[in-house]
Amino acid sequence: LMITRGALRNDIDPKYDIPVVLRVSGGNSVLNEDLSNEGITVSIRDALRLNVSAVALSIYVGSPHEHQTLVNLSGLISEAQEYGIPVLAVTAVGKELEKRDAKYLSLSCRIAAELGVQIVKTYYCEDFQKVVESCPVPLVIAGGPKMKSELDVLDIAYNAIASGAKGVDMGRNIWQSRWPVPMISAIRSIVHEKASAQKAAEIFNELKEKKA
């Protein structure tokens, strides 16, 4: 589960023993044309209070604030290392969706790994295996914008895992689905049970019918 500090404190019952990746970068909104103008918004001490499993920060390679976000990442890694907290870098592209190609993502992921992160969250793209091969730390894929159908989501998840991704970190393509629980189960079967996209679709449809 990747979540913000406020949502974690206010919306998640403490009784749930769910590993949490805490987003610690921000300072912008979708109303700003340049989403790369981010800073660190949560201290490591507060992350420790929240007992999170890892912290996450976005980097915007090739953006007007590239230097700022990479320095933010480096500083976060240095602080997190003091306490043994893993850092996840998110290769963000803001509103420039055309940047989601293998050349750009390979560079972004490699930079994050060279700076010292333990894991990278990036986008799935054509020739995704090249992105995996360029990065010496594990990759997970983002869900990105809402897709046309749940089956499209399952295809992307399967292709990413087959190409070497270690997992997925999907938001709206699960919680905006009419059947979020069957979607979670289907995605889980791909990541943890090596199910094919077809098998995952069968799991999804079976669980969806039970919910109907």
Side-chain angles (χ1 to χ4, degrees), residues 87-98:
V87 176
L88 180 152
V90 181
T91 60
V93 298
K95 298 178 181 181
E96 301 170 354
L97 298 181
E98 70 277 2

Side-chain angles (χ1 to χ4, degrees), residues 82-122:
E82 292 286 330
Y83 302 97
I85 300 177
V87 176
L88 180 152
V90 181
T91 60
V93 298
K95 298 178 181 181
E96 301 170 354
L97 298 181
E98 70 277 2
K99 284 186 174 180
R100 294 191 300 177
D101 60 33
K103 183 178 180 180
Y104 173 83
L105 296 177
S106 292
L107 174 64
S108 300
C109 293
R110 183 73 190 193
I111 288 172
E114 293 281 358
L115 290 176
V117 300
Q118 283 73 41
I119 189 168
V120 176
K121 174 181 173 179
T122 193

Side-chain angles (χ1 to χ4, degrees), residues 69-80:
T69 60
L70 293 179
V71 170
N72 287 343
L73 180 62
S74 296
L76 178 65
I77 293 167
S78 295
E79 286 193 60

